[in-house]
């Protein structure tokens, strides 16, 4: 465990900071999506999405300490991306029994989707610029980037709320989804890698990038 992870984890062992934050797996998934955005927003933009509104006034030094822990988590996530290390704890990928997604995985993916929803304008801007840039037209000659992203988000949303996904299907398809859950969970690391790679390709067309997390070939 790195020093950055310890600082982030410390927030959840503190009675002072824990009430200001969502559950840890949710926060981890949220920070992953922020780190993966084609253009990483400034801390003063994304931290209020995750933190504020959960308590009253707090001392500025206390909030600075909270921000430090969250920024260290972001940096650690970026570091994992650079060395192509899986960004989700392996324990979250363990099934509960033979056919139940772990609550931690569901919360982690819910956090990812919440941040992605906030960052949708950035992704849309990247689509537009990528279409206009000759060097990125098309980004992937075999498959449109929109289709790649949709495939990722479909898997993430399905596993984030399996009950809702099953309710949206007829009886036979719901039973099929239930049987395939272990296979779908095994696909999560690969889909996260696809999500990271797509964001990196789109980031290449955005100006003034201050973070690069895709390994240079």
């Amino acid at each position: 465990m790195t020093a950055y992870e310890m600082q982030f984890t410390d927030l959840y062992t503190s009675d002072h900071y824990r009430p200001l934050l969502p559950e840890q797996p949710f926060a981890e998934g949220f920070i992953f999506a922020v780190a993966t955005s084609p253009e990483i927003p400034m801390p003063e933009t994304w931290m209020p999405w995750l933190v504020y509104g959960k308590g009253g006034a707090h001392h500025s030094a206390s909030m600075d300490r909270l921000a430090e822990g969250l920024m260290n988590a972001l940096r650690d996530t970026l570091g994992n991306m650079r060395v192509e290390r899986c960004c989700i704890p392996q324990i979250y990928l363990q099934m509960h029994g033979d056919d139940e997604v772990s609550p931690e995985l569901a919360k982690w993916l819910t956090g990812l989707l919440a941040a992605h929803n906030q960052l949708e304008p950035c992704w849309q801007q990247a689509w537009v610029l990528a279409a206009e840039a000759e060097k990125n037209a098309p980004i992937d000659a075999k498959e449109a980037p929109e289709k790649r992203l949709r495939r990722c988000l479909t898997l993430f949303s399905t596993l984030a709320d399996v009950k809702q996904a099953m309710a949206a299907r007829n009886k036979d398809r719901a039973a099929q989804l239930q049987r395939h859950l272990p296979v779908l969970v095994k696909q999560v690391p690969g889909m996260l890698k696809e999500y990271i790679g797509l964001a990196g390709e789109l980031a290449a067309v955005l100006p003034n990038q201050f973070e690069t997390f895709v390994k240079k070939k």
Side-chain angles (χ1 to χ4, degrees), residues 36-138:
T36 313
S37 174
E39 184 172 23
I40 300 174
M42 298 300 290
E44 57 267 30
T45 297
W46 69 266
M47 287 186 186
W49 297 339
L50 187 64
V51 176
Y52 298 150
K54 286 187 168 279
H58 298 277
H59 192 277
S60 60
S62 175
M63 297 306 292
D64 287 347
R65 177 66 183 89
L66 175 60
E68 178 186 349
L70 295 175
M71 280 302 298
N72 283 334
L74 180 72
R75 293 188 188 103
D76 206 41
T77 301
L78 289 166
N80 286 334
M81 291 179 186
R82 291 191 185 98
V83 298
E84 299 184 355
R85 183 182 299 124
C86 186
C87 292
I88 185 170
Q90 288 297 316
I91 193 171
Y92 293 0
L93 300 173
Q94 296 178 6
M95 298 292 292
H96 280 207
D98 295 329
D99 59 359
E100 185 179 346
V101 173
S102 74
E104 293 81 8
L105 175 59
K107 293 169 186 173
W108 196 95
L109 292 173
T110 299
L112 184 162
L113 293 166
H116 184 90
N117 183 61
Q118 293 281 6
L119 294 162
E120 188 68 27
C122 176
W123 283 85
Q124 291 295 335
Q125 179 190 19
W127 296 135
V128 172
L129 293 178
E132 295 174 350
E134 291 183 4
K135 64 180 180 180
N136 291 284

Side-chain angles (χ1 to χ4, degrees), residues 95 99 101 159 162 177-186:
M95 298 292 292
D99 59 359
V101 173
L159 296 178
V162 174
L177 172 60
Q178 183 69 59
R179 291 193 303 270
H180 290 169
L181 283 178
V183 175
L184 295 179
V185 170
K186 289 180 180 179

